[in-house]
Amino acid sequence: METIIKVEDLHKRYDDLEVLKGIDLAIHKKEVISLIGSSGSGKSTLLRSINLLEIPDKGRIYYHDKDILDKSIDIDNYRSHVGMVFQNFNLFNNLNVIKNCLIGQIKVLHKDHKEAMDSAVYYLKKVGMGDFINADVNNLSGGQKQRVAIARALCMEPEVLLFDEPTSALDPEMVDEVLQVIKQLASDGLTMVIVTHEMAFAKDVSDTVCFVSDGKILEKGSAQEFFEHPKEERTKKFLSRFLK
Amino acid sequence: MQKTIRMLVLVALVFFSSLAIKAEEDEFVVGMECNYAPYNWQSQTETAYSVALDGSGYCDGYDVRIAQDIADSLNKKLVIKRIAWDGLQAALDSGEIDAIIAGMTANEDRENGIDFTTPYYDTDMVMIVRKDDELADATSINDFSYKNVVGQISTNYDTVIDQIPNVNHMTPRESYPEMVIALKSHEADGITAEVPVAESIVSANDDLTYVTFAEGQGFDIDNSVSIGLKEGSRGTEEFIAVQEALDNISQETRLEYMTWASENAPSETNEIDGSFIDKVITIAKEYYPIFLYGVYTTLILAIVGTLAGLLIGLLLGTLKAISIDPQDNLFKRVLKKILGLFVNFYVWVIRGTPMMVQAMFVYYGFLRPVLGWGVMSSGLLIISFNTGAYMAEIIRSGIQSIDKGQLEAARSLGMSYKSAMFHIILPQAIRNSFPSIGNEFIVNIKDSSMLNVIGVIELFFETKSVAGSVSLTTETYFIAALIYLFLTTLATWILNYTENKINPNNNLKKV
């Protein structure tokens, strides 16, 4: 299987707090990886490091064999291939739904308006937001906002899409609509890395599950193997809290 | 966003370029106060000798007649510019005017910056007093010992007061009408003046008279008034032409002109009567073109100052909000640090000093002597850069109030920092700061009045000159207060309306 991104021995510290203590991870084409673990374990920092929203102190991140931490790499170009969906949606408040989906295509990919429009409408329909094209983003519900945010990321046609706790800020009744969209993307064969606390969803959607604990990947395995036969004590303890 | 900025730049450029001042070849441009009867005064009625002023009424008087004769000899068209006394030399230096004919006496100080012709009027220095005062019988300046004597600011009339032994030398005033009020209210006991000025004041005020001093008992002073030409022009064709034209005006003609001027000088002091409201209405009716011109200038200052200030603020505020990125190389880090320090310094200085002080310092220290700028373009520049410092703080806090997720989301799409700033962050920062930006406009409507110190003829300056002409301070400033209140109220309405248009979701009305 072709490797898109490879993380080697990644370290990150904030002042006295060492958040990542040597992470190794490979993201293969069409693979869906879930990162699970308790709060503060470093899983979000790992995800944000992959998109360089955090700059690691040590280690390597390879994108198709190129080290993106090298100064000569055009980070903006790299980021345009690696999409990100945030916990708090981060829709552009000054733009309406369709413009949120257009701006990256026009300003970064330099598509013409017509082409960008077609693709924006296509992805908005895909996430079930086709009726809200001209809506003000401030008038949407949390679930609707997150679906627009996913469409915005998809418009860039990324090779990998990173999800940073995409349902954590949602009211419980809206979680499902977002998870359904992500499941659909998984079955379409999109490569994804998802930080989540939704265990049933992770089990259902993932090819690989990583348990992040104390800045390291403590255990890693296929979804079935991981959830049904965890090896490490800490993994068992963590899972027992969710699966009771 | 791009459109808005492009429009802002365009508006600012058009306004600044329209202010380029240059005296035209076939015009003889003369500067005077138009508030110093009988030499020069401003009125709303045209006479056979008056010259129309740009925007507000006519200028008339002895100086105007002399200027007209000289312009005729030079075969040029006479143009009169109304300029504050303190701004006359500046205007001459910058080429805004060709000559000062403003009842100005050549003295040693002024000779340093102005080349004077021979005198075009010569007169004695006298003292204006109350008719019923014992000083009406004074014959020597010594009679004014221990008395309160006042003179006009920045003139000989003020400095000569010290020749009186043990005199109580009062703080000089801006204009004669102000001093007349002081004299009538017994605040002052005497006003120093030249004969023609004294004649004109006494003829307009029945309760006043003036005393002349016996030979050797008066002030030791040269009281002649001369025409001021640009320093270094002595000996040039222009200087000689003006001097010759002046020589051709005979002594008889000069006397005739002065008699005419003294008789025709405005004497509104006695004309406005009735209740407070009656006086206000009379002044408003009589002088509305002057007020209107002031409003026009004030609005230009406020609008251009706010827009240009916003542009400066956008630039500086963004620079101030930029944080050093760990990915930056050494050069970028140093550059960001230096720019940041520069912006902090700029904001620190501008916000920490009064605009009045900035105006004097920048205008007299740099804009006038080095660039030769006129008062209006200088005023616009000063108010713009002053506003810019406040705007920088507004924009900076606007940028910092935007959730950092907005920038992260933009960067995660692959947008550069600049592009994210321009398309995502700044539009939101401006929208959120709109109330504060609008507030700067309202502040500018009022604070532009400070620019009167460098002689910008805005609403406050006009009010001061009307108040001087009619000797009714309270009534005139009441009109000014009403006008300012009207302008700021109107501006508030427009801003609120716009705010509701661009920020429909951003108010608490729904709660």
Side-chain angles (χ1 to χ4, degrees), chain A residues 26-57:
Chain A
I27 303 165
H28 304 99
K29 194 164 185 173
K30 298 203 174 183
E31 188 180 20
V32 177
I33 300 176
S34 289
L35 300 177
I36 62 173
S38 40
S39 302
S41 59
K43 53 195 192 310
S44 279
T45 306
L46 170 60
L47 196 78
R48 290 166 59 82
S49 297
I50 294 174
N51 206 5
L52 296 183
L53 289 175
E54 307 290 343
I55 305 297
D57 301 322

Side-chain angles (χ1 to χ4, degrees), chain A residues 97-145:
Chain A
V97 168
I98 190 80
K99 284 182 179 157
N100 261 277
C101 296
L102 289 175
I103 189 153
Q105 299 189 67
I106 291 172
K107 297 296 170 192
V108 178
L109 304 178
H110 305 292
K111 286 192 198 173
D112 63 46
H113 191 266
K114 167 87 178 59
E115 199 185 345
M117 195 72 188
D118 288 346
S119 130
V121 171
Y122 172 80
Y123 285 112
L124 282 170
K125 278 187 179 154
K126 192 171 176 77
V127 301
M129 291 299 290
D131 293 337
F132 294 86
I133 282 177
N134 291 313
D136 184 328
V137 295
N138 299 296
N139 295 337
L140 301 178
S141 73
Q144 291 172 327
K145 282 184 184 172

Side-chain angles (χ1 to χ4, degrees), chain A residues 48 51-53 55 71 75-76 79-80 82-84 86 90-95 100 103-104 107-108 136 138-139 152-153 156, chain B residues 2 325-329 403-417 419 423-425 427-428 431 504-505 510:
Chain A
R48 290 166 59 82
N51 206 5
L52 296 183
L53 289 175
I55 305 297
K71 296 268 186 222
I75 291 174
D76 292 334
R79 281 183 175 139
S80 71
V82 180
M84 180 105 178
F86 299 86
N90 294 343
L91 289 180
F92 303 133
N93 292 322
N94 58 320
L95 304 175
N100 261 277
I103 189 153
K107 297 296 170 192
V108 178
D136 184 328
N138 299 296
N139 295 337
R152 175 177 70 181
M156 302 300 287
Chain B
Q2 264 164 319
D325 197 316
Q327 283 161 284
D328 288 339
N329 58 28
D403 178 34
K404 93 179 202 300
Q406 294 285 311
L407 182 62
E408 287 186 349
R411 297 306 304 271
S412 80
L413 289 179
M415 292 171 78
S416 66
Y417 184 86
S419 176
H423 295 288
I424 306 297
I425 308 298
Q428 295 185 51
R431 197 177 66 180
N505 301 308
K510 290 176 204 156

Side-chain angles (χ1 to χ4, degrees), chain B residues 186-447:
Chain B
H186 292 247
E187 191 189 341
D189 301 310
I191 307 170
T192 51
E194 293 173 359
V195 176
V197 177
E199 283 276 5
S200 134
I201 288 172
V202 166
S203 75
N205 297 277
D206 292 338
D207 48 346
L208 302 183
T209 184
Y210 69 89
V211 288
T212 47
F213 303 109
E215 191 69 34
Q217 303 285 305
F219 292 107
D220 176 21
I221 181 93
D222 171 18
N223 254 328
S224 60
V225 293
S226 304
I227 299 175
L229 294 168
K230 195 168 181 164
E231 184 171 37
S233 67
R234 193 177 298 282
T236 62
E237 239 174 84
E238 291 79 20
F239 188 96
I240 294 164
V242 170
Q243 181 65 62
E244 271 177 7
L246 181 60
D247 292 343
N248 288 335
I249 305 173
S250 70
Q251 207 55 44
E252 291 73 43
T253 313
R254 293 181 194 194
L255 257 177
E256 179 205 322
Y257 284 179
M258 185 48 90
T259 313
W260 174 88
S262 302
E263 283 165 3
N264 286 279
S267 51
E268 278 98 341
T269 329
N270 300 334
E271 281 175 10
I272 301 175
D273 280 320
S275 67
F276 182 81
I277 297 296
D278 289 341
K279 288 179 189 164
V280 166
I281 292 171
T282 314
I283 296 168
K285 268 188 188 161
E286 187 116 347
Y287 289 92
Y288 76 91
I290 298 185
F291 285 115
L292 274 184
Y293 185 78
V295 168
Y296 165 76
T297 316
T298 290
L299 283 180
I300 286 185
L301 287 168
I303 292 169
V304 175
T306 309
L307 291 180
L310 179 57
L311 274 179
I312 296 169
L314 278 173
L315 186 73
L316 299 186
T318 312
L319 284 177
K320 210 170 146 98
I322 290 177
S323 53
I324 289 176
D325 197 316
Q327 283 161 284
D328 288 339
N329 58 28
L330 185 69
F331 173 73
K332 262 191 166 171
R333 277 164 194 256
V334 171
L335 188 71
K336 280 182 180 177
K337 191 90 198 153
I338 291 174
L339 283 173
L341 285 174
F342 165 75
V343 175
N344 281 340
F345 177 77
Y346 173 76
V347 172
W348 175 63
V349 170
I350 299 278
R351 294 212 306 181
T353 53
M355 182 159 81
M356 230 186 259
V357 175
Q358 293 160 16
M360 293 299 275
F361 182 76
V362 176
Y363 179 66
Y364 287 105
F366 177 67
L367 292 177
R368 174 171 76 82
V370 180
L371 298 182
W373 281 30
V375 286
M376 187 60 185
S377 32
S378 300
L380 282 169
L381 190 87
I382 290 157
I383 196 170
S384 299
F385 276 89
N386 181 277
T387 311
Y390 291 90
M391 288 286 192
E393 279 301 303
I394 291 170
I395 298 295
R396 178 198 54 79
S397 72
I399 290 172
Q400 285 171 351
S401 75
I402 307 296
D403 178 34
K404 93 179 202 300
Q406 294 285 311
L407 182 62
E408 287 186 349
R411 297 306 304 271
S412 80
L413 289 179
M415 292 171 78
S416 66
Y417 184 86
K418 238 190 290 175
S419 176
M421 211 64 194
F422 197 72
H423 295 288
I424 306 297
I425 308 298
L426 277 180
Q428 295 185 51
I430 294 175
R431 197 177 66 180
N432 291 357
S433 319
F434 188 80
S436 312
I437 292 169
N439 191 50
E440 282 301 307
F441 177 56
I442 289 169
V443 167
N444 276 342
I445 291 177
K446 297 179 291 172
D447 283 5

Side-chain angles (χ1 to χ4, degrees), chain A residues 190-203:
Chain A
L190 184 68
T191 314
M192 297 189 282
V193 181
I194 307 167
V195 172
T196 185
H197 291 291
E198 301 285 336
M199 294 306 146
F201 164 74
K203 187 177 174 184

